[in-house]
C-alpha cells in the first residue's frame, strides 16, 4: 500500500507542471482564484495524500534541516506582499485570489519535500529525470494547445510562437532552454544506445527551432552562452559565477551596444529576427522600467526594508510614464521584467536577502552534485540558467512557474541526509564513491 502511495505521489509530481499551466490558462480566462487553485492541484494532491497517511499512522518525524526555514521565511515575505496589496486596495486584489495565491506559493515547496521523503529509501529514485519529464510534459500540453488553435491569454504576439499554458511568451523560451540544458547531460553513449541518443537529439533540435519561433533574444543568448560553457567544461571553473550573476542587469545595460553588434553578425541575423537597434539596446523597453527602479534605489528608498507590496512599482515616481512607453491603460499590470527588481520593490531588502539565501544554498548544493557527477547533475544546468535569467526576466517571481520550480529544487537541498538511506548514484547509474562526503550527514545543519 505504501508503494502505491509513493507511485501516486511521484505521478502527481510528474503532472504538476502541466496542471500548473492549465490552471494559469483557466485563471486568466475565467477566475484568477479558481484557476490558481487548479494550477497547484498536482502539488495539493501530493500534500493531501501525505497528510492523510500521517494521520492514519499517527507518527510525524522531522526530516528537514534548518535551511527549510529560510525557504519558508521567503515565501511568507512573498505572501505578506500580497496581503499588503489587498489591505491597500490594489486594483483587482480580492480576498479570494489572495488566499489562492497564498496556497499557490506554499504548495510546490512542501509537495516537493514530500516527494523526497517518500523516495528517501528508493534506489531507483531520480529527481532530475522527474523534473525533466514534468517540464517536457508541460511543453507537450502547450504544443497540443497550439495544435488545437489556442493562444496565450496574456501575451499573444502575431507571427511568433504563443504557447497557451504559460504566463507570457518569454516563459516558453525559458522552458525550452531549461529542457535543452538538462538534455545535454543525457545525450551520450551513441555507440551503445543509438536510438535513445538520436531521439533526445531530435527533441533537442526541435526545441531549438521552437525557441527561435518564440524569438526571445535574451533567453536565446543566455542559453547559447551556457551551452558553450557546459560543452567546453568551463562552467565548473567559473568560481565567480554566483556573484557575477547578481550583476547581469548592470552588465547587459552597460554593454547594450555590444549585444546589438553580436545580434547583427551574419550568423545571428540568420536565426534571430527583430534586430532593431533601439529595441535591442533598450532590451525591448526593459531599461525603461529598470530605470524607475534604480531611481527609487538611488534617490527615494521609501519602503526599502519591507517593500511596497505586490506590484509595488506603481507607487514609485515616474511609473505613470510607463503607460506611454508600453501603450497600455492598466499600468498596474506592467511588471519590472526582473525577478530581482520585482522582489526588491515588493518585499524590500529583507525579502530580496531571503531570496538570495535560497538561491545561494540551491546553487552550491547542485554545483557540488555537478562536480561529483551524481544523478542530480542536470539540475545544476537548470539552476545556473535560472541564476542569470532571474535578473533580467520575471520567470522566477510569484505565480510564474519558475518560482515553483526553484522551490522544488530547494526542497532537495533542505532534506536531512541522515534520513536518506538510498545509495547515491552517478549519472551512469553506478554507485558513487563511498568515500564521498555526499553521503555523510552534517549534524550541525540538522534541526
Amino acid at each position: 500500500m505504501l508503494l502505491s502511495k509513493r507511485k501516486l505521489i511521484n505521478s502527481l509530481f510528474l503532472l504538476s507542471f502541466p496542471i500548473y499551466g492549465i490552471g494559469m490558462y483557466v485563471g486568466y480566462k475565467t477566475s484568477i482564484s479558481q484557476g490558481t487553485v487548479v494550477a497547484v492541484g498536482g502539488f495539493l494532491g501530493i500534500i493531501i495524500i501525505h497528510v492523510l497517511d500521517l494521520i492514519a499512522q499517527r507518527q510525524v518525524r522531522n526530516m528537514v534541516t534548518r535551511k527549510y526555514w529560510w525557504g519558508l521565511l521567503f515565501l511568507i515575505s512573498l505572501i505578506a506582499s500580497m496581503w499588503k496589496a489587498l489591505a491597500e486596495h490594489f486594483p483587482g486584489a480580492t480576498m479570494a485570489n489572495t488566499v489562492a495565491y497564498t496556497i499557490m506559493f506554499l504548495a510546490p515547496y512542501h509537495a516537493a519535500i514530500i516527494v523526497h521523503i517518500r523516495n528517501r529509501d528508493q534506489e531507483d529514485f531520480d529527481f532530475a529525470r522527474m523534473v525533466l519529464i514534468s517540464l517536457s510534459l508541460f511543453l507537450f500540453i502547450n504544443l497540443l494547445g497550439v495544435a488545437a488553435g489556442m493562444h496565450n491569454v496574456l501575451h499573444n504576439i502575431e507571427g511568433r510562437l504563443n504557447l497557451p499554458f504559460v504566463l507570457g511568451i518569454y516563459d516558453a523560451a525559458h522552458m525550452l532552454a531549461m529542457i535543452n540544458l538538462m538534455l545535454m547531460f543525457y545525450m551520450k553513449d551513441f555507440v551503445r544506445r543509438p536510438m535513445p541518443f538520436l531521439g533526445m537529439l531530435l527533441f533537442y533540435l526541435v526545441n531549438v527551432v521552437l525557441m527561435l519561433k518564440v524569438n526571445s533574444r535574451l533567453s536565446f543568448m543566455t542559453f547559447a552562452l551556457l551551452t558553450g560553457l557546459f560543452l567546453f567544461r568551463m562552467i565548473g571553473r567559473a568560481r565567480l559565477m554566483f556573484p557575477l550573476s547578481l550583476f547581469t542587469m548592470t552588465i547587459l545595460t552597460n554593454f547594450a551596444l555590444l549585444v546589438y553588434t553580436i545580434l547583427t553578425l551574419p550568423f545571428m541575423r540568420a536565426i534571430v529576427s527583430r534586430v532593431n537597434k533601439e529595441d535591442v539596446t533598450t532590451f525591448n523597453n526593459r531599461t525603461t522600467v529598470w530605470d524607475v527602479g534604480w531611481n527609487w534605489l538611488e534617490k527615494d528608498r521609501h519602503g526599502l526594508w519591507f517593500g511596497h507590496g505586490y506590484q509595488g512599482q506603481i507607487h514609485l515616481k515616474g511609473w505613470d510614464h510607463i503607460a506611454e512607453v508600453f501603450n497600455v491603460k492598466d499600468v498596474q499590470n506592467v511588471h519590472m521584467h526582473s525577478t530581482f527588481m520585482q522582489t526588491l520593490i515588493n518585499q524590500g531588502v529583507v525579502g530580496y536577502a531571503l531570496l538570495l539565501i535560497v538561491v545561494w544554498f540551491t546553487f552550491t548544493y547542485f554545483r557540488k552534485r555537478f562536480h561529483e557527477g551524481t544523478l542530480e547533475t542536470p539540475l545544476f544546468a537548470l539552476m545556473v540558467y535560472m541564476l542569470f535569467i532571474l535578473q533580467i526576466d520575471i520567470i522566477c517571481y510569484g505565480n510564474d512557474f519558475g518560482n515553483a520550480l526553484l522551490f522544488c529544487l530547494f526542497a532537495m537541498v533542505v532534506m536531512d541526509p541522515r534520513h536518506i538511506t538510498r545509495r547515491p548514484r552517478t549519472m551512469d547509474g553506478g554507485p558513487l564513491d563511498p568515500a564521498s562526503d555526499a553521503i555523510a550527514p552534517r549534524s550541525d545543519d540538522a534541526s
Side-chain angles (χ1 to χ4, degrees):
M1 188 65 179
L2 183 62
L3 183 63
S4 63
K5 289 176 185 175
R6 180 183 70 86
K7 286 184 176 180
L8 179 57
I9 285 172
N10 288 352
S11 298
L12 283 172
F13 184 81
L14 293 178
L15 295 172
S16 57
F17 283 102
I19 294 172
Y20 200 96
I22 293 170
M24 287 289 94
Y25 181 86
V26 171
Y28 286 97
K29 195 80 171 177
T30 56
S31 165
I32 291 290
S33 55
Q34 293 176 10
T36 300
V37 173
V38 171
V40 290
F43 296 118
L44 285 178
I46 292 171
I47 294 171
I48 291 169
I49 292 170
H50 185 68
V51 169
L52 290 176
D53 196 43
L54 290 178
I55 293 172
Q57 293 183 8
R58 298 182 180 180
Q59 183 181 10
V60 178
R61 285 191 295 169
N62 179 32
M63 297 188 187
V64 296
T65 66
R66 294 190 185 102
K67 290 187 177 82
Y68 163 82
W69 297 103
W70 290 114
L72 184 61
L73 284 172
F74 170 77
L75 292 175
I76 290 172
S77 171
L78 177 59
I79 291 165
S81 73
M82 302 297 297
W83 286 95
K84 178 178 173 62
L86 176 66
E88 295 178 353
H89 307 289
F90 179 82
T94 66
M95 178 64 72
N97 59 35
T98 304
V99 170
Y101 278 135
T102 299
I103 296 170
M104 166 177 271
F105 298 151
L106 291 171
Y109 183 34
H110 293 91
I113 289 174
I114 291 168
V115 169
H116 289 290
I117 290 174
R118 290 286 178 163
N119 291 277
R120 65 189 184 278
D121 57 352
Q122 300 298 315
E123 297 293 337
D124 62 343
F125 179 63
D126 186 345
F127 188 59
R129 193 175 291 272
M130 287 179 68
V131 170
L132 178 59
I133 292 172
S134 187
L135 290 178
S136 299
L137 291 174
F138 190 16
L139 172 62
F140 181 67
I141 62 112
N142 271 282
L143 294 177
L144 285 180
V146 172
M150 301 171 72
H151 299 284
N152 194 284
V153 178
L154 292 178
H155 202 182
N156 186 9
I157 302 177
E158 189 176 351
R160 295 161 68 179
L161 179 63
N162 297 277
L163 300 186
F165 303 120
V166 289
L167 281 186
I169 189 169
Y170 302 118
D171 287 23
H174 298 319
M175 180 189 2
L176 291 160
M178 291 174 184
I179 291 171
N180 271 12
L181 286 170
M182 292 185 69
L183 275 175
M184 287 171 56
F185 292 90
Y186 294 102
M187 289 191 296
K188 54 185 179 180
D189 294 337
F190 172 72
V191 175
R192 290 188 298 172
R193 303 176 62 203
M195 296 309 295
F197 177 91
L198 292 174
M200 285 185 283
L201 178 60
L202 179 61
F203 185 29
Y204 182 95
L205 294 175
V206 168
N207 287 346
V208 171
V209 173
L210 293 175
M211 205 181 306
L212 295 174
K213 292 288 185 180
V214 174
N215 198 11
S216 171
R217 295 161 301 195
L218 282 180
S219 59
F220 185 80
M221 287 181 64
T222 304
F223 164 73
L225 174 63
L226 294 180
T227 297
L229 291 175
F230 277 107
L231 279 177
F232 293 102
R233 302 182 181 276
M234 298 171 62
I235 204 81
R237 303 172 187 173
R239 297 184 180 275
L240 296 178
M241 184 182 300
F242 183 83
L244 184 65
S245 71
L246 303 182
F247 298 95
T248 304
M249 180 189 293
T250 307
I251 294 169
L252 274 178
T253 52
N254 281 282
F255 288 90
L257 287 175
L258 176 60
V259 173
Y260 173 71
T261 301
I262 293 171
L263 288 174
T264 53
L265 292 173
F267 169 73
M268 293 300 292
R269 276 187 175 275
I271 59 176
V272 178
S273 60
R274 300 186 302 125
V275 187
N276 174 276
K277 186 173 184 179
E278 183 179 354
D279 191 25
V280 170
T281 54
T282 63
F283 301 103
N284 200 24
N285 288 321
R286 280 177 170 83
T287 55
T288 308
V289 294
W290 294 344
D291 285 343
V292 174
W294 285 118
N295 288 335
W296 167 69
L297 274 175
E298 293 174 5
K299 301 173 184 178
D300 185 357
R301 292 189 288 276
H302 175 68
L304 180 64
W305 288 105
F306 297 101
H308 292 276
Y310 174 70
Q311 290 292 73
Q313 63 272 14
I314 66 171
H315 302 295
L316 306 186
K317 293 179 180 178
W319 193 253
D320 292 340
H321 173 61
I322 299 300
E324 301 175 14
V325 174
F326 286 90
N327 192 27
V328 295
K329 294 181 180 179
D330 299 326
V331 70
Q332 70 269 12
N333 293 328
V334 180
H335 54 72
M336 293 301 299
H337 293 274
S338 164
T339 301
F340 143 67
M341 192 71 80
Q342 194 75 55
T343 303
L344 188 61
I345 293 171
N346 291 5
Q347 299 163 240
V349 170
V350 173
Y352 181 58
L354 291 170
L355 175 63
L356 283 186
I357 290 170
V358 169
V359 172
W360 168 250
F361 281 144
T362 311
F363 171 74
T364 54
Y365 178 90
F366 287 106
R367 181 179 61 184
K368 186 170 184 288
R369 297 298 178 271
F370 170 76
H371 286 303
E372 292 167 346
T374 66
L375 283 176
E376 296 79 35
T377 293
L379 293 177
F380 179 61
L382 191 156
M383 185 60 214
V384 170
Y385 182 83
M386 285 198 289
L387 188 66
F388 284 92
I389 213 68
L390 65 81
Q391 282 277 320
I392 53 177
D393 214 339
I394 202 71
I395 180 69
C396 295
Y397 179 80
N399 62 342
D400 221 320
F401 83 91
N403 183 58
L405 183 58
L406 173 61
F407 275 88
C408 285
L409 298 188
F410 189 57
M412 190 170 197
V413 178
V414 306
M415 288 298 298
D416 190 337
R418 292 178 300 181
H419 296 286
I420 308 298
T421 58
R422 66 177 183 272
R423 294 172 298 176
R425 291 182 294 155
T426 65
M427 277 291 294
D428 296 326
L432 198 66
D433 182 1
S436 171
D437 61 359
I439 58 175
R442 292 182 56 184
S443 58
D444 63 327
D445 198 29
S447 58

